[in-house]
């Protein structure tokens, strides 16, 4: 039973690391960004509502995002644990997550933060723009996403640090090396906090 979050700035490789971590800890990865993108491309009601926010690099409103996560966290496949990627990003979302988990009788075990400097993140975004052509990977939109991360999501990260459940890892370097570092850091943290 492991309930994890992964938090990192845009371009930090959060999505890639989330997949590796989820496999290692044997829990499903839930990415709000992926859920939104998939709804946008299928043109569902949620997708139509979310599209303009994604394209502008803005946060989808908390009300919409919270409802989506509340629903998803009730699913059976997540009862034995999960890795949330991309949520929470705002202080109200973090409060909502606490309340969702409390109502399910659980709480977070650890929060993994990937750290990387802005200049490196922007370079990676340029590479990703060529490979994947994501509509929010343009210089202007990317800078806005980064700004939101450094301001609003920073507060979320500080909150978890204050609770003593934050595990921070240097997100620069080889993806494989970062995965190894992240797994070791989270395992050590869980072993210590569970008194093993
Ligand atoms: P990145 O971390 O590279 O910005 P994500 O896939 O995590 O990419 O998110 C892409 C976009 O999806 C965000 O810019 C935002 O518009 C939307 N989104 C994802 N998660 C959230 C969230 N928790 N709250 C609000 N908007 C979100």
């Amino acid at each position: 039973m492991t309930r994890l979050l992964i938090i990192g700035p845009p371009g930090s490789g959060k999505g890639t690391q989330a997949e590796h971590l989820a496999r290692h800890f044997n829990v499903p990865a839930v990415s709000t960004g992926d859920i939104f993108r998939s709804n946008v491309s299928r043109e569902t009601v949620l997708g139509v509502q979310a599209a303009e926010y994604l394209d502008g690099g803005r946060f989808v409103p908390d009300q919409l995002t919270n409802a989506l996560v509340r629903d998803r966290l009730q699913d059976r496949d997540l009862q034995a644990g999960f890795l949330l990627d991309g949520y929470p990003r705002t202080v109200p979302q973090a409060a909502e997550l606490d309340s969702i988990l409390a109502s399910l009788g659980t709480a977070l075990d650890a929060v993994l933060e990937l750290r990387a400097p802005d200049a490196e993140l922007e370079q990676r975004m340029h590479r990703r723009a060529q490979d994947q052509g994501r509509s929010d990977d343009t210089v202007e939109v990317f800078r806005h996403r980064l700004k939101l991360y450094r301001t609003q999501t920073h507060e979320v990260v500080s909150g978890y640090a204050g609770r003593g459940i934050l595990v921070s890892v240097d997100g620069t370097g080889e993806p494989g090396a970062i995965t190894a570092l992240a797994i070791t850091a989270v395992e050590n943290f869980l072993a210590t906090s569970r008194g093993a």
Side-chain angles (χ1 to χ4, degrees):
M1 290 256 211
T2 312
R3 293 181 180 84
L4 302 171
L5 290 191
I6 184 165
I7 296 191
S12 61
K14 180 170 63 68
T16 307
Q17 297 301 336
E19 282 175 29
H20 290 295
L21 257 79
R23 202 171 308 131
H24 178 84
F25 288 98
N26 197 24
V27 291
V30 176
S31 156
T32 45
D34 283 350
I35 296 172
F36 285 133
R37 276 186 293 276
S38 142
N39 277 274
V40 170
S41 68
R42 288 181 286 122
E43 297 179 22
T44 65
V45 174
L46 175 67
V48 170
Q49 288 172 303
E52 61 172 303
Y53 298 101
L54 266 80
D55 286 345
R58 289 179 291 141
F59 289 151
V60 176
D62 283 345
Q63 221 189 343
L64 218 60
T65 309
N66 287 337
L68 170 89
V69 173
R70 184 176 277 279
D71 252 30
R72 181 66 182 96
L73 284 177
Q74 322 277 338
D75 291 344
R76 276 189 68 98
D77 66 317
L78 302 188
Q79 298 320 302
F82 54 77
L83 172 68
L84 261 183
D85 159 8
Y87 181 95
R89 273 172 146 98
T90 64
V91 169
Q93 287 183 10
E96 175 71 9
L97 178 60
D98 285 340
S99 113
I100 296 170
L101 293 178
S103 71
L104 295 169
T106 60
L108 290 173
D109 295 308
V111 176
L112 177 74
E113 178 199 18
L114 287 179
R115 307 183 68 116
D118 289 8
E120 160 121 14
L121 296 169
E122 201 164 310
Q123 274 181 14
R124 291 188 189 173
M125 178 277 293
H126 283 293
R127 261 177 272 146
R128 184 167 73 179
Q130 289 177 342
D131 295 351
Q132 302 178 5
R134 249 173 70 165
S135 62
D136 56 353
D137 276 345
T138 63
V139 172
E140 230 174 84
V141 171
F142 185 83
R143 287 194 182 144
H144 183 64
R145 284 155 62 204
L146 195 51
K147 187 174 137 207
L148 287 181
Y149 184 82
R150 297 295 184 208
T151 52
Q152 305 213 27
T153 309
H154 172 79
E155 270 193 77
V156 173
V157 176
S158 315
Y160 291 129
R163 274 160 59 173
I165 57 169
L166 188 71
V167 179
S168 295
V169 161
D170 181 356
T172 60
E174 273 292 300
I178 299 166
T179 305
L181 213 70
I183 288 174
T184 306
V186 172
E187 278 192 334
N188 287 343
F189 175 81
L190 293 176
T192 310
S193 66
R194 285 167 176 167

